[in-house]
Amino acid sequence: MNQVYGKLMGCYESVKEKLPFRPKVALVLGSGLGDYGDHFSVEGAIDYHDIEGFPVSTVAGHKGRFLFAHIEGVPVVMMQGRVHYYEGYSMTDVVLPIRLMRLMGSEILFLTNAAGGVNYKFRAGDFMMITDQIASFVPSPLIGPNIEELGVRFCDMSQVYQKELQDIIRKTARELEIPIQEGVYVQLAGPAYETPAEVRMVRALGGDAVGMSTACEAIAASHMQMKVCGISCISNLACGMTDTPLSHEEVNEMAERTAPLFRKLVTGIISHMG
Ligand code: HPA
């Protein structure tokens, strides 16, 4: 068996008997949304450490577990803590949890993250619905022998962020009177933040926000025919756009500050996914 597929199926075997239910939505909790699951009566949790062969995050403050809950009646598996490429994992390990949540039954992948704003119309604290992405600066998680059981070799990427889900996000934001920007997310490898020249490059390429996750996950999900949507919390304006140097603390602080509104928005969106 293909090594990547073998590892994935090993993890699936390991979670299968622990699985409390079949999720419809897979929700990846980015910075700021880490405690989202605490606001619901969780029906089950699986610690990443308890899944044999599962990649475990090394970033301080990132809890690592799957949480299972009905949110507004919709069965959701939440990823509390994701792994990043810059931690040293292979791209196939980075997206293993996404593939695993698909195998659990999830049809929709809802991605969230904190990102740097590249578009001059953005402000720190804004939300941005992801309409498209550029992942060309990091290796594709689909490199290597194609895993036919998961998807096709050359997968279509013409509508990664599904139009219907985008409409739900717009409608929900309007209902809740939460302003939301829209734009293209660009994934860079990190872990260093960008230089001002790199930020200008991203802007010249048509990017609106920059980060170190998400796009590779959307590729793996598209490969497995999941419907994908995503929202970035613009935790800061990207390097060179303000006079202040960037710090992880600043990024986290803004992500935390927007958390209550972000939670409200995400819950409202999920209520329309049933
Ligand atoms: N750059 C890259 N990743 C980020 C940023 C940024 O400015 N802010 C939050 N994640």
Side-chain angles (χ1 to χ4, degrees):
M1 197 193 290
N2 174 295
Q3 213 178 343
V4 174
Y5 188 59
K7 188 169 179 175
L8 174 65
M9 292 316 282
C11 288
Y12 182 54
E13 287 304 318
S14 174
V15 299
K16 212 160 55 176
E17 70 251 33
K18 301 187 188 95
L19 264 189
F21 65 29
R22 190 178 170 87
K24 176 165 188 193
V25 176
L27 172 64
V28 180
L29 302 171
S31 308
L33 276 185
D35 65 352
Y36 181 79
D38 300 342
H39 295 79
F40 302 93
S41 63
V42 167
E43 293 153 56
I46 303 176
D47 207 287
Y48 296 161
H49 288 281
D50 295 334
I51 306 171
E52 223 172 272
F54 194 90
V56 176
S57 179
T58 58
V59 179
H62 280 250
K63 282 184 208 142
R65 54 185 184 166
F66 289 118
L67 296 174
F68 301 88
H70 280 82
I71 298 177
E72 304 284 316
V74 182
V76 179
V77 53
M78 289 169 264
M79 239 183 110
Q80 194 175 36
R82 53 151 66 95
V83 292
H84 299 84
Y85 182 58
Y86 61 71
E87 293 176 71
Y89 297 104
S90 64
M91 266 303 182
T92 51
D93 269 352
V94 171
V95 303
L96 183 145
I98 304 294
R99 289 171 161 166
L100 192 54
M101 292 192 292
R102 175 57 160 158
L103 293 180
M104 290 176 194
S106 313
E107 297 156 28
I108 296 173
L109 177 64
F110 190 163
L111 294 161
T112 69
N113 59 42
V118 170
N119 187 321
Y120 272 112
K121 291 184 185 138
F122 294 180
R123 292 289 165 264
D126 280 357
F127 298 118
M128 184 192 88
M129 177 176 79
I130 305 175
T131 54
D132 204 350
Q133 68 179 32
I134 295 174
S136 320
F137 295 100
V138 290
S140 167
L142 306 184
I143 288 174
N146 184 52
I147 305 169
E148 295 293 330
E149 292 86 347
L150 303 187
V152 297
R153 169 80 294 184
F154 300 103
C155 85
D156 174 57
M157 297 290 283
S158 56
Q159 202 189 111
V160 176
Y161 296 87
Q162 208 213 18
K163 283 264 180 331
E164 287 77 11
L165 292 175
Q166 289 190 37
D167 288 340
I168 287 177
I169 293 175
R170 277 189 206 101
K171 183 169 155 250
T172 309
R174 216 180 308 122
E175 278 169 11
L176 296 173
E177 299 184 0
I178 299 173
I180 188 161
Q181 307 273 13
E182 299 187 11
V184 173
Y185 178 93
V186 179
Q187 179 175 3
L188 300 182
Y193 290 118
E194 301 70 39
T195 63
E198 286 166 336
V199 171
R200 288 195 298 275
M201 172 193 74
V202 168
R203 193 179 300 117
L205 293 177
D208 297 291
V210 67
M212 306 174 193
S213 65
T214 302
C216 57
E217 298 164 341
I219 292 174
S222 296
H223 185 233
M224 292 182 79
Q225 306 254 314
M226 291 181 90
K227 301 169 191 163
V228 181
C229 65
I231 299 179
S232 295
C233 163
I234 304 298
S235 52
N236 57 280
L237 290 184
C239 185
M241 295 171 70
T242 63
D243 294 333
T244 48
L246 274 185
S247 73
H248 188 53
E249 289 69 34
E250 178 203 339
V251 167
N252 278 345
E253 196 186 297
M254 182 51 91
E256 293 298 334
R257 211 176 326 154
T258 59
L261 209 55
F262 207 175
R263 278 202 298 271
K264 193 171 155 186
L265 180 61
V266 167
T267 304
I269 292 164
I270 290 174
S271 74
H272 289 108
M273 287 177 170

